[in-house]
């Protein structure tokens, strides 16, 4: 039974993938660059949709994983002190462990932020317009499409702005960005250099490999789960099983940590 996938899977209007109908290696190269960018966008949309769907389970599992890591590192610190016949000071223990797991807490906050993202669909006509304008900007200033071209910082900033607007389907922003790009191009026009065909062919193959890696990778394949109600139920069951296993493991670690004598330090 199919469920509702709360994301938009885009079908970019691009030159045909059939290389026999493309006029040059440059066309093929540009096609693959735009296709890769489209798939990257879809991959991010799928990942956000997945986290929105299973957010509470992902958060609980990751929080337990952090606690397990925290106790494992605490046990390791205590064991090292014992091996050196040194007392285990609470402040040194806390400082050592916190410095090693701060990155995990940042990841947890990122997961929470994505889980709270609200869907804000735009009209189909606007979405298609965003895609068209992004393609126009990409053909003008996409760094991958202009190898060897040195863009100014202002142009690079505009490209980052165009990418961000494309990711967020922000029509007003991407239209404004295009106007700024066109204005800047009058002052510093791009000048493509002749590119060796062998180099282009190798870049096309590399892009195809990157595209294949995206569509066969885990984030993109989440789409299969999100579109199937049975798969959703199975995934929730898997999350619950993992959570219970982590709770059991955490209790074991707590018991092991409790065997160490910690010297409290009071300021």
């Amino acid at each position: 039974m199919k469920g509702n996938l709360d994301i938009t899977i885009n079908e970019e209007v691009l030159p045909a993938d059939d290389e026999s109908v493309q006029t040059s290696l440059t066309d093929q190269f540009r096609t693959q660059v735009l296709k890769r960018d489209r798939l990257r966008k879809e991959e991010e949309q799928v990942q956000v949709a997945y986290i929105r769907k299973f957010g509470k389970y992902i958060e609980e599992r990751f929080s337990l994983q952090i606690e397990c890591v925290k106790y494992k590192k605490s046990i390791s610190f205590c064991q090292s002190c014992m091996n050196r016949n040194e007392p285990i000071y609470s402040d040194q223990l806390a400082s050592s462990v916190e410095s090693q797991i701060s990155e995990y807490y940042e990841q947890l906050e990122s997961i929470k932020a994505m889980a709270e993202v609200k869907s804000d669909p735009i009209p189909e006509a606007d979405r298609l317009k965003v895609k068209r304008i992004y393609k126009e900007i990409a053909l003008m200033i996409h760094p991958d499409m202009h190898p060897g071209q040195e863009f100014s910082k202002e142009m690079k900033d505009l490209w980052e702005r165009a990418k961000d607007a494309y990711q967020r389907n922000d029509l007003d922003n991407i239209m404004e960005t295009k106007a700024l790009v066109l204005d800047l191009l009058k002052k510093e026009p791009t000048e493509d250099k002749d590119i060796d065909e062998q180099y282009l062919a190798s870049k096309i193959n590399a892009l195809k490999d990157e595209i294949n890696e995206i569509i066969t990778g885990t984030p993109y394949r989440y789409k299969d789960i999100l579109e199937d109600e049975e798969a959703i139920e199975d995934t929730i069951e898997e999350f619950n099983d993992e959570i219970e296993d982590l709770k059991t493991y955490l209790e074991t670690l707590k018991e092991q940590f409790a065997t160490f004598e910690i010297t409290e330090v009071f300021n």
Side-chain angles (χ1 to χ4, degrees):
M1 178 180 176
K2 295 292 182 182
N4 292 322
L5 179 56
D6 188 24
I7 60 174
T8 301
I9 300 301
N10 303 312
E11 291 300 329
E12 191 77 62
V13 180
L14 299 173
D17 283 337
D18 183 356
E19 295 178 8
S20 65
V21 301
Q22 294 184 355
T23 57
S24 69
L25 282 175
T26 301
D27 286 339
Q28 296 175 38
F29 174 63
R30 287 175 172 169
T31 294
Q32 297 303 318
V33 169
L34 290 171
K35 184 175 182 180
R36 189 235 7 231
D37 286 0
R38 169 174 61 83
L39 289 170
R40 278 179 175 172
K41 180 180 179 181
E42 290 180 9
E43 180 183 48
E44 183 173 323
Q45 289 176 324
V46 170
Q47 187 165 22
V48 170
Y50 183 87
I51 292 176
R52 274 209 306 265
K53 186 69 178 179
F54 303 108
K56 67 177 183 179
Y57 304 103
I58 294 171
E59 285 183 41
E60 184 175 4
R61 181 186 64 178
F62 196 58
S63 295
L64 285 167
Q65 288 172 333
I66 292 175
E67 283 300 296
C68 288
V69 169
K70 186 175 180 179
Y71 272 97
K72 284 179 67 176
K73 291 187 179 299
S74 296
I75 291 167
S76 177
F77 179 90
C78 293
Q79 191 61 59
S80 295
C81 289
M82 289 187 64
N83 292 342
R84 298 192 301 269
N85 293 318
E86 296 176 356
I88 304 169
Y89 292 111
S90 59
D91 59 339
Q92 294 177 1
L93 170 61
S95 175
S96 173
V97 172
E98 289 301 321
S99 67
Q100 295 182 69
I101 65 170
S102 59
E103 185 178 338
Y104 294 107
Y105 285 119
E106 291 175 7
Q107 292 177 34
L108 179 60
E109 289 305 310
S110 177
I111 290 171
K112 289 180 178 178
M114 279 195 281
E116 293 169 1
V117 170
K118 302 299 181 184
S119 179
D120 187 19
I122 65 171
E124 179 68 6
D126 287 356
R127 184 177 65 81
L128 292 174
K129 194 170 183 180
V130 168
K131 289 196 297 180
R132 177 176 60 78
I133 295 173
Y134 173 78
K135 181 180 176 183
E136 292 170 357
I137 295 173
L139 290 171
M140 290 186 283
I141 63 169
H142 195 312
D144 288 350
M145 292 190 186
H146 299 275
Q149 175 75 33
E150 267 303 319
F151 291 112
S152 65
K153 182 181 184 304
E154 190 175 358
M155 192 71 86
K156 290 176 182 177
D157 289 344
L158 285 175
W159 172 242
E160 291 302 318
R161 178 174 172 175
K163 283 197 303 180
D164 180 67
Y166 176 58
Q167 288 291 336
R168 295 186 291 106
N169 285 323
D170 188 336
L171 180 57
D172 289 341
N173 199 350
I174 205 163
M175 288 175 66
E176 184 178 324
T177 303
K178 179 185 174 183
L180 292 170
V181 168
L182 289 171
D183 184 62
L184 189 57
L185 281 173
K186 293 176 185 177
K187 304 172 187 175
E188 47 177 277
T190 61
E191 184 178 342
D192 285 339
K193 300 178 180 179
D194 292 332
I195 304 173
D196 180 77
E197 287 195 355
Q198 186 174 357
Y199 170 80
L200 266 183
S202 68
K203 292 294 288 183
I204 289 168
N205 287 332
L207 283 164
K208 287 181 176 178
D209 288 342
E210 192 174 349
I211 287 168
N212 184 64
E213 187 175 331
I214 292 171
I215 62 179
T216 58
T218 298
Y220 196 82
R221 299 304 301 171
Y222 284 153
K223 181 172 59 173
D224 296 337
I225 296 173
L226 294 167
E227 291 176 337
D228 189 321
E229 290 293 346
E230 290 184 8
I232 289 173
E233 292 176 6
D234 289 342
T235 301
I236 290 174
E237 185 176 346
E238 289 173 8
F239 273 124
N240 284 328
D241 288 343
E242 290 179 22
I243 287 168
E244 289 306 312
D245 288 343
L246 283 167
K247 286 179 178 178
T248 301
Y249 182 47
L250 181 57
E251 289 305 312
T252 301
L253 291 173
K254 286 181 177 180
E255 290 173 6
Q256 186 176 352
F257 177 68
T259 63
F260 295 101
E261 183 178 342
I262 311 296
T263 301
E264 295 292 337
V265 178
F266 301 98
N267 294 327

